[in-house]
Amino acid sequence: NTERKMTATYTIRAENEADTEQFGSRLSKQISGDEIVGLIGTLGSGKTRLVQAIAGALGIAPRDVVSPTYVLLHEHRGTYPVFHFDLYRVADRDEWSELGVDEILEGGGIALLEWADRFREQMPSNWLEIAIEVHGEHERSFTCTAHGKRYEELIASLQS
């Protein structure tokens, strides 16, 4: 008798950038200032674009939010501190540790981690996964998966 834990998921389809902006804004309204959001998608799928939408709704100028591909981390100050990671060039667990990811995740604020799927084992037990799928030049689907009760509640709020 194998017991499977059900995980809350929610998918939203964005037909254009305005829909992506609206989703980021809706998501930011569910944020209490201590969240971990992992973004998963191919190059050019819109991970940074979604971060810009979330950050903009939190009082951070979207033009100030650029992909931290080469610096690995940008910190922004808005309604809450926002830590925007790009894990694409992080080689391994040692580099994850050197970057101080665990300390930042434990320290509060909003952590938005692009390429979170590269470090699933290091992700905390509670986080929101957002997988982005490309359907056209501006069309995307965002599938949110809860890891932990807090994020199950967040998804329930998004669905209502």
Side-chain angles (χ1 to χ4, degrees):
N1 186 0
T2 311
E3 191 176 319
R4 283 188 52 174
K5 185 175 192 260
M6 293 301 294
T7 303
T9 62
Y10 171 67
T11 301
I12 184 166
R13 180 92 177 214
E15 300 295 327
N16 51 47
E17 287 206 26
D19 288 349
T20 297
E21 190 81 25
Q22 184 179 24
F23 172 60
S25 179
R26 282 184 58 215
L27 187 57
S28 72
K29 287 176 176 50
Q30 305 303 320
I31 288 174
S32 64
D34 190 20
E35 276 77 26
I36 299 168
V37 179
L39 302 166
I40 298 167
T42 59
L43 282 169
S45 62
K47 295 178 296 293
T48 300
R49 182 68 195 93
L50 181 58
V51 171
Q52 288 172 333
I54 294 166
L58 295 171
I60 299 163
R63 71 178 175 280
D64 293 340
V65 178
V66 295
S67 178
T69 301
Y70 295 100
V71 295
L72 308 180
L73 169 64
H74 285 297
E75 184 177 348
H76 303 281
R77 294 289 169 178
T79 307
Y80 305 106
V82 173
F83 301 94
H84 180 199
F85 292 89
D86 186 322
L87 302 176
Y88 186 74
R89 295 190 186 282
V90 176
D92 53 29
R93 287 181 180 176
D94 290 340
E95 198 169 339
W96 168 281
S97 296
E98 288 170 22
L99 189 57
V101 179
D102 291 326
E103 291 81 5
I104 292 170
L105 297 182
E106 292 168 7
I110 299 162
L112 303 166
L113 298 94
E114 296 189 27
W115 300 99
D117 52 323
R118 297 191 70 233
F119 288 91
R120 281 189 185 279
E121 307 79 40
Q122 277 83 295
M123 292 296 286
S125 56
N126 292 292
W127 62 290
L128 179 66
E129 177 180 325
I130 301 178
I132 304 170
E133 192 174 335
V134 178
H135 300 286
E137 187 175 347
H138 299 288
E139 299 165 62
R140 305 288 187 265
S141 62
F142 301 96
T143 300
C144 304
T145 303
H147 298 275
K149 185 165 179 48
R150 159 75 184 105
Y151 296 99
E152 290 173 5
E153 292 167 358
L154 189 146
I155 285 177
S157 295
L158 281 175
Q159 289 173 323
S160 59

